[in-house]
Amino acid sequence: MTEPLQPVIQEQTTGCGIASAAVLLGYSYAQMKAIANALGIFAEDESLWSDTRYMRRLLATGDLSVSATEEPFVSWQALPDLALLAIKHHWEGDRPFWHWVVFQRTAGQMRVLDSASYLPSNVRTDFDAMQPRWYIEVAKVAQERSNGIQ
């Protein structure tokens, strides 16, 4: 059984991507921010919330497998057990923007970990209030254990 992930609160107004990566990789916001900054990724860069390449680079620093494509959201039940979701999708000029959140299904229970600091609870189950546009499937990579047998 997969353990429930813990929410990470974004410490910058535009830090939802860094916070979502921290949730998935098991880091604090400060740790993930340091990793992101070392990769040249900054919360203030609008590309972090309008381009998926930056999130893929962040998630590649850990033991995660991330789907190569964004899949359209069909229903909550159709989502994989772990996914990065784009909600609050909108356009500013000719550029799309969204808010990153993490979806997790554990023991049949669905929940969304939303890093927004203004929320009364960062573990959300108010599915009707969220309107995902698409998702990226995320999976933990199984760690192979060596037992000395070749």
Side-chain angles (χ1 to χ4, degrees):
M1 180 174 112
T2 304
E3 292 298 316
L5 296 173
Q6 297 305 309
V8 172
I9 309 307
Q10 63 191 69
E11 296 176 8
Q12 296 163 281
T13 304
T14 56
C16 60
I18 290 172
S20 292
V23 166
L24 291 165
L25 294 169
Y27 291 122
S28 69
Y29 187 87
Q31 291 169 319
M32 195 74 245
K33 180 181 174 187
I35 292 167
N37 292 173
L39 293 171
I41 299 170
F42 301 90
E44 299 82 10
D45 183 349
E46 292 181 353
S47 298
L48 185 58
W49 18 284
S50 65
D51 187 327
T52 63
R53 289 178 293 175
Y54 296 90
M55 285 300 289
R56 291 176 192 286
R57 283 183 57 210
L58 281 177
L59 297 177
T61 65
D63 61 344
L64 298 175
S65 170
V66 181
S67 67
T69 59
E70 296 85 48
E71 298 298 327
F73 176 84
V74 176
S75 71
W76 293 102
Q77 292 73 21
L79 286 172
D81 288 344
L82 189 60
L84 189 60
L85 290 177
I87 66 171
K88 298 183 182 179
H89 191 277
H90 64 283
W91 289 86
E92 291 184 18
D94 62 348
R95 192 176 201 180
F97 287 89
W98 54 81
H99 177 65
W100 291 112
V101 295
V102 175
F103 171 83
Q104 183 183 36
R105 183 182 298 107
T106 304
Q109 298 297 308
M110 299 184 299
R111 61 200 208 118
V112 170
L113 303 170
D114 189 332
S115 63
S117 60
Y118 59 81
L119 293 171
S121 174
N122 297 96
V123 178
R124 298 180 64 179
T125 56
D126 58 333
F127 301 111
D128 290 341
M130 295 177 277
Q131 298 179 347
R133 174 67 64 92
W134 46 261
Y135 68 92
I136 297 172
E137 184 171 0
V138 179
K140 294 278 187 185
V141 175
Q143 298 293 321
E144 292 186 27
R145 296 182 184 201
S146 173
N147 60 8
I149 299 173
Q150 297 292 326

